[in-house]
Amino acid sequence: MPEPTKKDDGQPEVWSLGDGQPPEEIDKQIETPPLSTLLIEKPQSGSINVGGDINFVAKVEAKDLLRKPTIKWFKGKWMDLASKTGKHLQLKESFDRFTKIHTFEMHIIKAKENYAGNYRCEVNYKDKFDSCSFDLEIKEVSDGSQNIDIRSAFKRSSEGQDDAGELDFSGLLKHRQGREHKQEEVPEVDVWEILKNARPDEYEKIAFTYGITDLRGLLKRLKKTKKEEKKSEAFAKRLEPAYQVDKGGKIRLVVDLADPTVELKWYKNGQEIRSTPNNRKYIFEHKGTQRIMVINNCQINDDAAYSVTAGEEKCTTELFVKELPVNIVKKLEPVKTTVNERIELECEVSEEGAKVKWMKNGVEVPTGVRSRYRVKSEGTKHWLIIDDATKDDTGTYSLMATGGTTEAHVQVDLKPLKILMDLQSVTVLLGQPLKLNCEIYPGNVPGRWYKNGQLIQPSERLSIIHRTKNHSLDIECSTIHDAGDYTFVPEGYTQTLSAKVHIIDPPRVHLEALNVPDDTVTVVAGNKLRLEIPISGEPAPRVVWMKGERVILDSGNRVRAETFADHTCLTIDIVEREDTGNYKIVLQNEAGEDTASVKIKVVDIPDPPEAPMVTDVGGDWCTMTWELPRYDGGSPILGYFIERKKKQSSRWMRLNFDLCKETTFEPKKMIEGVPYEVRIFAVNAIGISKPSEPSKPFIPLAVTSEPTMLVVDDVTDTTVTMKWRPPDAIGAAGLDGYQVEYCIEGTDEWILANKELIEKTRYTITGLPVEAKILVRIKAINAAGASPPRTTQHSILVKEVIEPPKIRIPRHLKQTYIRKVGEVVNLVVPFVGKPRPKVNWLKEGQPIDQTISIRNSDCDSIMFIRKAERKHSGKYELSVQVENHIDTAMLDIQIVDLPGPPQAVKIEEVWGNNVALDWNPPKDNGNAPIIGYTIQKADKKTMEWYTCIEHYHRTCITISDLVVGNEYFFRIYSENMVGLSESATATKDSALIVKEGLQLKIPEYNDRDFTEPPIFTQPLINTFAIAGYNATLNCSVRANPRPKVIWMKNKITIIDDPRYRMFSNQGVCTLEIRKPSPFDGGVYTCKAVNELGEAQVDCKLEVKGGFTFFELMKRGVPLHLIDKYMNESKTSEKSESEKKGSI
């Protein structure tokens, strides 16, 4: 709150709490939220004089509140007084621990006139609200008019004051102050008159000359005062400002009218004066334009303000009635007496019925109905009577009249004091009555009771009784605070009577103040616990805290016990789980002993559960279980959160947002074949535990689909052979093998045929009973388990059936089987037949060579030649026999090799640049037809062979385009399906290409000049970019030799700036701007330079989505660049808005 400054004349400046509510708004109903009953005592309206103090009190009961409510004090509707506190306004708060009442006080000190108005007190607590309005009335104390020094009003406060620097403009408007102050001398120089008559250009010089520092405020006041007074239209001559007349005399009030026809009315103190025939007090006369009012026999009641109105105009005056002085005829005489005697002071004046004033020590004596002083007068005599004199009546008494003053001294002495019964010291039990008695003489002497030097005032609980000689102090119910030293002091005497009062009270622990069920305090681990328990007892008891057998000392570090006057405190800085338990409090003093127990329950987040177990896994799901945490944190487990992650990842994903109440969960939507881990969080009312250890990695895997196409492949008297196809859907788990089971018809027991998984899709079930009927089923097994079984539709009879043999020759063996010499020959010929057929191989009717291996099985026969030779070629006969049934098949095998070279290669003819060659086929064709020849030539000088033609089918050829003057040799390779012959047959003679006198003219060619200066074939284009996203600028240039490319921004070359990357590839120039900001906008230039010249292209880049001024300052951008950017952004916004408007 601002404090008042002092002007140079020592008067306090005007201090304001605000304008408050206008009068017309005070009665308006202020809309407030629904009120509750928080305030048990509301501030009451009050009135004080200017300069006085007043205190407003509001009380709130905190019985049902967990914390202190919020209170606000307002003046008017909106002015919050919390920021106005100072030496004129103080806000105080207090709390009574026993009554549970908050007391809020607003104390206004040395009030001013503008403090008056409507005030409001608001109390808030969570969703509760209460409010109260009250009014403050400031009464003005009239001290008469005072002179105002314009120079002091417009000077600043002195340097040494608290509020130096504030201006007092209101000093020119207010002529009365609430405090009494010395009246200053009238300034010698009237600055107002000087300013009124001066030119405006001289104001500053005048202000400097007379020390006026607030020239602006002075000119505002001067502007208001510079109003020309209107000349009166009704009065030619007005009343004088004041008139004076002696008591009993006559006075004439005269006005001169400008218009005699105007109606005239006279007023006294605002009441119209009317003339009556019988009343000669007021006489009205008319003399021309003069109007006269005569007042006869003026008395004191005629001393008043008079006014006269003519039409709408009015003039006023004051009449002062002067009384004749009243003289003292007989003076007062001194009096000396003792206490309780009667005192009469007598005086005589010169006039009957005169008004006099009795004074004591310069102060007027009160003579009201309840006053000890009585005043009596008869004729010219006046008496002051004091019936029962006291020592305080000693002093100088005086009587004041208009004509003089008389005074006399009155001396009242005490009678000697006798103590008949002295006070006795007592010891009282708390709550019992306490009574102190004494007897003194004289009996009518009053006295005062003191406790420990403090005056005792009577109350409902404490009564002070004085009956003649006996003085007693009675307390109905003693309290601890009643103990102390008591003193009785007879009024007017120096003697005192003293006694000591000792209050004893057995100790007691007030656990009910904790307001917790079962005396159990619950606290969250890690927090600070401060447990305050009220105690009582007189004298102060000794307090001992114990947990079990361990005593808690006040010097402990983390856990300590402290004892104060009215309570004991247990403090645990950081609560741990081990602090849970019963705490015992023992109180002892000379009046007795008391004990109490408090249970502290420490609650915490639960321990993490053990690592979960994954009990079952599916294609995209699993089933997991876990155990309860070892410690639930002292609060029941509410549920669990489950998270999972991929084994190679570090990112956990929560699977449930609603608590899982059970200890099992089934995560879903997982990717098959990917390893996962899961973990658990336990949740109680305090919070979430730490995560459990991750589970062992598991892979969601699905079983395969059932095997397909299950059929019977073979049946014997004791075996059944089944075959099938793999499942259609195998999945990420793959396929580990198959499980074969059979069931004998008539039973429900399925018997496992293979102890170990088989990978093949064919299996023979052995050890079956003859002629039994069985059902067979197949299951595909992988890491996820067994697939649904595939079962035969009909039962199978275990009995062998004769099947004629049949050879099933593969398609590639139905034609000639060709292999190269040295290659492996492996022929598999399948067949069927039951029982197992006999197999026989023949080559062209003869037994086969021993170098050929034959391996036979139940269903096929294999011919194997490790290294094929030419002799293995031929026709092979395979026969398969079952009893009398036989089946045969023929196989044609051809083993081929490289051919031999051609024969008789010779030069048939040479003409021009051509040579004709002729040859014979090779003797050995490699057991395969010749498919072509390869012809090569070699110059005799170098003998380097070059291929002329490949894959030539005929045995004669003409080689053309030979070089004239060269001599050539030729050679030929033969070729079959295996390849070229290992050697070639060359011509014995050479072929010479003879020159025929031809001359070769070499044409002349002019070299083309490809050099050129830089030319941009694709220019830069204006671009818009989004702030924070990379932007690129592209153009293309053509030049030879290769130009040097330079990028510029706003004509400044970009060099070694990490925010830019430059590329140049095949003439395409690219500038990449990384995450541009609005600061990166501007004109960009690409310049290409070589030794033949230079060229450049420009474009404009605008970055949308810019930053604020604060963000640019935070990034460290210079101020001149920020200013430029802000101006450009405003200009671009205006241009865009104009474009939109035109569209």
Side-chain angles (χ1 to χ4, degrees):
M1 176 182 289
E3 298 178 355
T5 60
K6 292 187 178 180
K7 300 190 295 184
D8 295 341
D9 58 0
Q11 299 176 5
E13 297 269 354
V14 175
W15 172 85
S16 175
L17 282 173
D19 296 335
Q21 286 180 272
E24 64 272 9
E25 294 185 2
I26 293 179
D27 297 333
K28 290 183 180 180
Q29 185 67 28
I30 300 175
E31 295 183 1
T32 59
L35 300 181
S36 60
T37 57
L38 289 174
L39 290 169
I40 59 173
E41 181 177 330
K42 300 182 179 180
Q44 303 297 324
S45 300
S47 62
I48 54 171
N49 293 330
V50 173
D53 301 345
I54 190 168
N55 195 29
F56 296 99
V57 179
K59 293 185 178 181
V60 177
E61 187 174 6
K63 186 175 181 181
D64 298 328
L65 307 183
L66 299 178
R67 56 178 176 81
K68 184 182 75 175
T70 303
I71 189 167
K72 291 184 178 180
W73 299 87
F74 295 91
K75 183 172 188 286
K77 285 185 177 180
W78 56 269
M79 180 177 285
D80 191 350
L81 299 181
S83 60
K84 304 291 184 182
T85 54
K87 64 183 182 181
H88 287 276
L89 176 67
Q90 295 180 359
L91 303 177
K92 298 182 179 179
E93 300 177 2
S94 61
F95 177 67
D96 192 331
R97 191 182 299 274
F98 294 100
T99 60
K100 302 289 185 181
I101 293 177
H102 290 279
T103 304
F104 303 93
E105 301 182 21
M106 181 177 74
H107 191 37
I108 297 178
I109 306 168
K110 298 180 181 179
K112 291 182 168 34
E113 292 177 359
N114 57 340
Y115 290 12
N118 178 258
Y119 290 78
R120 190 169 80 257
C121 170
E122 290 185 359
V123 181
N124 284 283
Y125 177 78
K126 292 184 177 179
D127 56 345
K128 296 182 180 180
F129 175 81
D130 204 350
S131 176
C132 174
S133 297
F134 54 94
D135 298 319
L136 174 61
E137 180 184 1
I138 305 296
K139 297 180 180 178
E140 185 177 356
V141 179
S142 178
D143 290 337
S145 62
Q146 62 183 19
N147 293 323
I148 301 174
D149 184 1
I150 182 176
R151 290 176 291 177
S152 63
F154 286 95
K155 285 182 182 178
R156 296 200 179 264
S157 302
S158 59
E159 295 294 336
Q161 296 178 359
D162 294 339
D163 298 322
E166 296 187 5
L167 300 178
D168 180 19
F169 299 123
S170 59
L172 297 176
L173 302 176
K174 295 186 178 291
H175 298 287
R176 297 188 180 186
Q177 298 292 334
R179 299 179 183 174
E180 297 182 359
H181 54 273
K182 296 181 180 180
Q183 185 170 351
E184 287 192 352
E185 297 180 0
V186 178
E188 297 178 359
V189 180
D190 191 352
V191 182
W192 282 117
E193 294 298 328
I194 296 174
L195 290 171
K196 290 178 182 178
N197 301 324
R199 297 193 308 274
D201 59 348
E202 296 178 349
Y203 289 161
E204 187 173 356
K205 180 178 179 182
I206 295 171
F208 178 77
T209 303
Y210 293 99
I212 297 174
T213 56
D214 187 16
L215 180 59
R216 181 178 295 178
L218 182 142
L219 293 178
K220 289 182 180 179
R221 305 298 182 205
L222 181 63
K223 185 177 180 181
K224 295 180 180 180
T225 59
K226 279 191 174 183
K227 295 181 180 178
E228 296 182 1
E229 296 182 1
K230 286 186 177 181
K231 190 174 180 180
S232 176
E233 297 179 356
F235 295 100
K237 181 180 179 182
R238 293 173 173 271
L239 294 173
E240 295 297 330
Y243 296 88
Q244 183 174 342
V245 65
D246 291 337
K247 184 178 180 182
K250 181 173 70 171
I251 187 68
R252 291 163 57 90
L253 304 180
V254 182
V255 295
D256 196 350
L257 296 178
D259 183 5
T261 62
V262 175
E263 182 181 0
L264 203 71
K265 292 184 180 181
W266 293 87
Y267 296 90
K268 173 185 177 183
N269 289 336
Q271 299 292 328
E272 184 179 358
I273 302 174
R274 301 181 183 274
S275 61
T276 58
N278 299 329
N279 186 5
R280 304 299 298 170
K281 179 72 174 178
Y282 301 99
I283 300 173
F284 298 95
E285 300 178 358
H286 292 206
K287 290 183 179 181
T289 60
Q290 290 185 344
R291 301 293 183 263
I292 305 169
M293 183 179 70
V294 180
I295 304 175
N296 296 315
N297 191 19
C298 293
Q299 299 297 324
I300 297 300
N301 57 357
D302 294 322
D303 191 310
Y306 291 85
S307 61
V308 59
T309 60
E312 295 181 357
E313 292 196 27
K314 177 181 180 182
C315 64
T316 61
T317 187
E318 289 192 42
L319 176 62
F320 297 94
V321 179
K322 183 179 179 182
E323 295 185 87
L324 297 177
V326 178
N327 298 322
I328 304 298
V329 177
K330 181 182 177 182
K331 296 185 177 182
L332 297 175
E333 296 181 355
V335 176
K336 186 174 183 180
T337 183
T338 59
V339 175
N340 300 328
E341 298 296 332
R342 179 185 174 88
I343 299 176
E344 287 189 5
L345 296 178
E346 181 181 354
C347 178
E348 188 175 350
V349 297
S350 60
E351 184 179 341
E352 291 185 3
K355 291 186 178 180
V356 298
K357 183 183 291 186
W358 289 92
M359 310 287 287
K360 175 187 176 184
N361 296 330
V363 179
E364 184 177 359
V365 175
T367 57
V369 177
R370 298 182 180 180
S371 176
R372 298 177 56 254
Y373 302 95
R374 289 190 298 111
V375 176
K376 185 174 72 172
S377 63
E378 291 181 3
T380 60
K381 291 186 179 181
H382 295 266
W383 288 273
L384 177 65
I385 302 172
I386 305 174
D387 291 327
D388 190 5
T390 63
K391 190 173 177 61
D392 291 338
D393 294 328
T394 299
T396 301
Y397 291 80
S398 61
L399 182 138
M400 295 178 62
T402 57
T405 303
T406 179
E407 63 180 24
H409 184 72
V410 175
Q411 180 66 39
V412 180
D413 296 327
L414 295 173
K415 296 179 181 179
L417 180 68
K418 294 182 180 178
I419 300 175
L420 302 180
M421 185 177 72
D422 200 354
L423 290 176
Q424 302 294 327
S425 297
V426 294
T427 299
V428 180
L429 191 63
L430 180 68
Q432 297 299 318
L434 170 63
K435 187 171 184 179
L436 297 176
N437 292 319
C438 66
E439 291 184 5
I440 59 173
Y441 176 82
N444 58 352
V445 175
R448 295 184 178 182
W449 290 86
Y450 293 85
K451 186 185 90 170
N452 298 329
Q454 299 294 325
L455 179 65
I456 300 175
Q457 297 290 348
S459 63
E460 296 180 359
R461 192 178 65 88
L462 186 148
S463 59
I464 297 176
I465 302 173
H466 175 201
R467 293 175 182 172
T468 64
K469 302 177 184 180
N470 187 276
H471 294 265
S472 63
L473 183 146
D474 294 339
I475 299 175
E476 295 181 1
C477 182
S478 60
T479 65
I480 295 297
H481 303 290
D482 294 329
D485 295 331
Y486 286 78
T487 304
F488 177 74
V489 180
E491 188 172 346
Y493 294 90
T494 58
Q495 294 175 276
T496 61
L497 290 79
S498 300
K500 288 188 175 182
V501 174
H502 183 51
I503 305 294
I504 62 173
D505 180 26
R508 184 185 173 195
V509 182
H510 301 275
L511 284 182
E512 63 276 4
L514 289 179
N515 195 22
V516 293
D518 301 329
D519 295 334
T520 301
V521 178
T522 304
V523 63
V524 179
N527 290 349
K528 181 176 181 179
L529 173 63
R530 183 177 177 85
L531 190 61
E532 294 185 359
I533 300 178
I535 61 173
S536 60
E538 186 63 29
R542 175 175 175 269
V543 181
V544 177
W545 283 82
M546 301 178 68
K547 181 183 180 184
E549 299 297 328
R550 181 171 63 89
V551 177
I552 301 175
L553 304 177
D554 57 358
S555 60
N557 292 329
R558 188 178 67 86
V559 182
R560 58 186 178 277
E562 300 172 285
T563 301
F564 301 92
D566 59 346
H567 68 281
T568 180
C569 176
L570 175 65
T571 303
I572 304 177
D573 287 336
I574 300 176
V575 178
E576 298 176 355
R577 295 179 180 178
E578 293 75 14
D579 295 326
T580 299
N582 290 321
Y583 290 77
K584 185 179 181 182
I585 311 169
V586 180
L587 304 183
Q588 292 180 340
N589 70 355
E590 63 184 46
E593 178 179 332
D594 190 18
T595 60
S597 293
V598 177
K599 183 178 180 181
I600 295 179
K601 180 181 180 182
V602 180
V603 294
D604 196 0
I605 60 174
D607 286 346
E610 297 293 333
M613 301 290 293
V614 178
T615 58
D616 195 7
V617 177
D620 63 345
W621 58 271
C622 72
T623 302
M624 53 186 292
T625 62
W626 60 90
E627 299 294 332
L628 294 174
R630 295 182 181 176
Y631 176 64
D632 62 359
S635 179
I637 299 295
L638 301 179
Y640 302 89
F641 284 124
I642 296 91
E643 290 184 351
R644 79 171 181 220
K645 77 174 182 68
K646 297 177 182 177
K647 187 176 185 299
Q648 303 300 327
S649 173
S650 59
R651 179 176 172 269
W652 289 91
M653 182 178 70
R654 180 158 293 180
L655 300 181
N656 62 319
F657 294 96
D658 295 330
L659 289 176
C660 175
K661 306 294 184 180
E662 307 296 332
T663 57
T664 60
F665 190 75
E666 186 175 306
K668 296 182 178 180
K669 296 184 180 180
M670 292 185 285
I671 302 174
E672 184 179 359
V674 177
Y676 284 91
E677 293 178 346
V678 291
R679 65 181 184 183
I680 311 296
F681 293 84
V683 182
N684 64 2
I686 308 304
I688 303 174
S689 71
K690 294 181 179 179
S692 68
E693 290 294 325
S695 66
K696 293 181 179 179
F698 64 93
I699 302 175
L701 298 174
V703 297
T704 67
S705 63
E706 59 187 13
T708 60
M709 299 179 66
L710 176 63
V711 296
V712 178
D713 187 42
D714 189 19
V715 178
T716 67
D717 291 339
T718 58
T719 63
V720 172
T721 301
M722 305 295 296
K723 64 178 181 180
W724 58 90
R725 298 295 299 275
D728 293 335
I730 294 179
L735 180 61
D736 295 339
Y738 299 94
Q739 190 176 29
V740 181
E741 297 178 332
Y742 67 92
C743 173
I744 299 175
E745 191 176 28
T747 64
D748 295 332
E749 180 184 1
W750 286 92
I751 302 170
L752 183 63
N754 57 327
K755 295 182 179 180
E756 296 183 358
L757 296 179
I758 58 174
E759 296 181 359
K760 295 182 179 181
T761 58
R762 187 174 183 274
Y763 185 75
T764 300
I765 305 173
T766 60
L768 296 176
V770 180
E771 296 186 357
K773 291 184 178 181
I774 63 171
L775 293 173
V776 180
R777 67 182 183 185
I778 310 296
K779 295 180 181 178
I781 308 296
N782 64 2
S787 71
R790 169 68 71 176
T791 308
T792 55
Q793 295 181 355
H794 305 286
S795 60
I796 302 169
L797 176 63
V798 184
K799 181 179 181 181
E800 188 172 12
V801 178
I802 296 176
E803 179 180 352
K806 178 66 176 176
I807 300 175
R808 302 178 183 230
I809 301 177
R811 181 177 299 176
H812 68 282
L813 295 180
K814 290 183 179 180
Q815 56 190 359
T816 303
Y817 182 77
I818 301 174
R819 280 289 181 268
K820 296 178 182 179
V821 173
E823 290 185 346
V824 174
V825 176
N826 189 11
L827 302 180
V828 179
V829 181
F831 55 82
V832 294
K834 294 182 182 179
R836 181 173 179 173
K838 295 180 181 180
V839 180
N840 185 32
W841 285 87
L842 296 175
K843 179 183 179 184
E844 298 177 355
Q846 300 295 325
I848 61 175
D849 193 357
Q850 294 182 354
T851 58
I852 301 175
S853 299
I854 300 297
R855 286 176 288 179
N856 299 321
S857 67
D858 294 341
C859 60
D860 58 24
S861 179
I862 300 174
M863 174 190 287
F864 179 76
I865 304 173
R866 186 177 301 277
K867 191 174 182 180
E869 298 177 4
R870 295 272 293 272
K871 64 179 182 178
H872 293 144
S873 300
K875 295 184 181 293
Y876 291 82
E877 181 183 358
L878 171 63
S879 62
V880 178
Q881 184 178 0
V882 175
E883 294 183 354
N884 297 325
H885 303 280
I886 189 170
D887 189 17
T888 60
M890 297 297 293
L891 300 179
D892 188 6
I893 298 177
Q894 182 180 355
I895 307 300
V896 298
D897 197 0
L898 293 174
Q903 297 180 8
V905 177
K906 58 184 177 179
I907 298 174
E908 288 288 338
E909 186 181 3
V910 177
W911 72 97
N913 57 356
N914 302 314
V915 174
L917 299 177
D918 189 20
W919 66 91
N920 294 325
K923 290 182 178 181
D924 183 9
N925 64 358
N927 202 23
I930 299 299
I931 61 175
Y933 300 92
T934 298
I935 298 93
Q936 294 181 347
K937 67 181 179 179
D939 190 356
K940 185 177 181 181
K941 297 176 182 179
T942 61
M943 288 307 292
E944 293 182 0
W945 294 96
Y946 296 94
T947 301
C948 298
I949 192 169
E950 293 179 324
H951 312 302
Y952 186 73
H953 298 286
R954 300 173 66 185
T955 58
C956 60
I957 189 170
T958 300
I959 306 298
S960 304
D961 298 329
L962 299 175
V963 179
V964 176
N966 288 353
E967 189 174 359
Y968 291 93
F969 286 95
F970 298 91
R971 67 180 183 183
I972 300 174
Y973 289 90
S974 59
E975 181 182 4
N976 65 3
M977 61 184 299
V978 180
L980 294 176
S981 60
E982 294 180 353
S983 61
T985 303
T987 59
K988 296 180 180 180
D989 301 325
S990 62
L992 176 62
I993 307 302
V994 180
K995 298 180 181 180
E996 295 181 356
L998 297 177
Q999 294 182 356
L1000 178 63
K1001 289 184 179 181
I1002 302 176
E1004 295 182 358
Y1005 298 97
N1006 294 326
D1007 294 337
R1008 177 179 175 82
D1009 185 8
F1010 289 97
T1011 60
E1012 63 175 331
I1015 298 174
F1016 281 95
T1017 60
Q1018 178 64 37
L1020 294 172
I1021 61 174
N1022 293 336
T1023 305
F1024 291 91
I1026 304 300
Y1029 294 87
N1030 291 356
T1032 57
L1033 304 177
N1034 299 289
C1035 63
S1036 61
V1037 63
R1038 185 178 74 239
N1040 189 15
R1042 184 177 180 179
K1044 178 181 180 182
V1045 179
I1046 302 172
W1047 285 92
M1048 294 181 287
K1049 176 191 172 187
N1050 297 330
K1051 298 184 179 180
I1052 299 175
T1053 305
I1054 301 173
I1055 301 175
D1056 297 335
D1057 193 332
R1059 293 182 298 113
Y1060 301 95
R1061 289 204 306 172
M1062 307 171 198
F1063 306 96
S1064 180
N1065 184 18
Q1066 299 295 326
V1068 178
C1069 305
T1070 302
L1071 175 66
E1072 180 181 353
I1073 306 171
R1074 297 182 176 179
K1075 296 184 180 178
S1077 65
F1079 177 69
D1080 292 320
V1083 177
Y1084 285 81
T1085 304
C1086 181
K1087 185 176 182 182
V1089 180
N1090 69 0
E1091 58 189 20
L1092 299 179
E1094 65 180 36
Q1096 69 178 31
V1097 289
D1098 300 329
C1099 76
K1100 184 177 181 181
L1101 175 66
E1102 294 186 17
V1103 181
K1104 298 290 187 177
F1107 301 96
T1108 63
F1109 180 84
F1110 174 74
E1111 291 172 337
L1112 292 174
M1113 287 291 293
K1114 200 170 181 181
R1115 287 170 171 249
V1117 179
L1119 286 175
H1120 70 280
L1121 295 178
I1122 295 177
D1123 184 48
K1124 180 180 178 182
Y1125 163 69
M1126 299 300 284
N1127 293 333
E1128 289 179 354
S1129 62
K1130 289 180 181 178
T1131 304
S1132 63
E1133 288 177 1
K1134 287 183 180 179
S1135 63
E1136 288 180 4
S1137 63
E1138 289 175 359
K1139 290 180 181 178
K1140 291 179 180 178
S1142 63
I1143 293 172

